[in-house]
Amino acid sequence: MEQTLPPGIEQILIDAPELAAAIRRMAAAIARDYAGRSLVLVGVLKGAVFVTADLARALSEVPDGPTDIQLDFIAVSSYGNAHRSSGEVRLVQDTTHAVEGRHILIVEDIVDNGHTLHYLRAMLGNRQPASLRAAVLLDKPYRRAIDVPVEYVGLTCPDEFVVGYGLDYQERYRTLPYLAKLRPEVLPA
Ligand code: PRP
């Protein structure tokens, strides 16, 4: 059946079942690696709020995974325009719990040029965590400006300006349950 798309949306690129399947695959790999350990998921606000929640629930459904899963959040902002961040990242809101001695998994919706994740890995890595890794639902490896490790990747993201499932354009479209392409006329020339 033909689905009516919201104004501004040209096309669904990755539908909700495909996103859910990617999260289940990530959860299976993470659960295996952290079996018997206490794990802290650090979601990066605001884009990663949906993937963090869904990944946490998927992880708790895997048998023989982490002994417990705790949630924390961090917020950063990067200077730049809607299309490209400048590489200058600023901490807006820190985690609420200590990182030292904990197994920390940074959860991101997307890695694009890599500056945000690079900043977060350096900052959290300085706090003596027991371990530090990153899980990213959508990767744009072809856009990397800085090399940064990503241990768990859900999907390679199409080379488009994408919105939905946490990703916004000027704070809109985050709540769409799928990943979509914006109509070009919505974006500045
Ligand atoms: C997005 C995304 C990552 C970052 C990735 O956040 O959630 O945190 O950009 O980009 P990079 O790899 O090029 O650094 P954004 O700055 O749009 O903030 P938001 O999550 O609040 O929408």
Side-chain angles (χ1 to χ4, degrees):
M1 200 172 63
E2 191 80 355
Q3 187 176 358
T4 310
L5 298 174
I9 297 297
E10 179 163 297
Q11 177 192 357
I12 295 175
L13 297 174
I14 303 176
D15 65 19
E18 285 178 271
L19 293 173
I23 287 173
R24 278 196 303 274
R25 286 195 301 272
M26 293 169 80
I30 293 164
R32 205 168 42 237
D33 292 352
Y34 291 91
R37 293 179 179 173
S38 171
L39 176 63
V40 183
L41 301 183
V42 177
V44 185
L45 296 172
K46 300 190 275 272
V49 70
F50 298 100
V51 61
T52 306
D54 288 347
L55 182 63
R57 285 179 293 194
L59 264 173
S60 59
E61 283 169 11
V62 182
D64 305 321
T67 51
D68 71 302
I69 298 153
Q70 297 179 15
L71 294 181
D72 212 332
F73 290 92
I74 201 163
V76 289
S77 78
S78 43
Y79 296 100
N81 60 33
H83 288 278
R84 186 173 283 275
S85 61
S86 61
E88 196 185 331
V89 182
R90 185 170 57 94
L91 183 66
V92 173
Q93 180 187 309
D94 208 339
T95 58
T96 50
H97 297 287
V99 163
E100 187 176 351
R102 309 301 312 273
H103 293 288
I104 302 292
L105 183 62
I106 301 169
V107 183
E108 268 285 29
D109 50 345
I110 192 164
V111 176
D112 190 309
N113 64 35
H115 283 295
T116 305
L117 186 58
H118 183 265
Y119 170 89
L120 288 171
R121 289 194 79 120
M123 191 189 76
L124 296 172
N126 273 334
R127 299 181 183 178
Q128 279 82 47
S131 68
L132 178 64
R133 290 184 174 183
V136 171
L137 179 61
L138 300 162
D139 192 10
K140 285 188 164 179
Y142 45 84
R143 294 255 303 177
R144 228 40 123 248
I146 187 163
D147 200 24
V148 64
V150 183
E151 284 81 2
Y152 306 98
V153 174
L155 296 160
T156 299
C157 187
D159 190 10
E160 305 282 358
F161 190 96
V162 289
V163 293
Y165 201 72
L167 290 150
D168 73 307
Y169 174 60
Q170 295 182 341
E171 295 300 328
R172 293 185 62 203
Y173 306 108
R174 281 194 205 275
T175 56
L176 295 176
Y178 44 73
L179 193 78
K181 178 184 175 184
L182 274 187
R183 290 190 178 282
E185 58 268 28
V186 175
L187 293 165

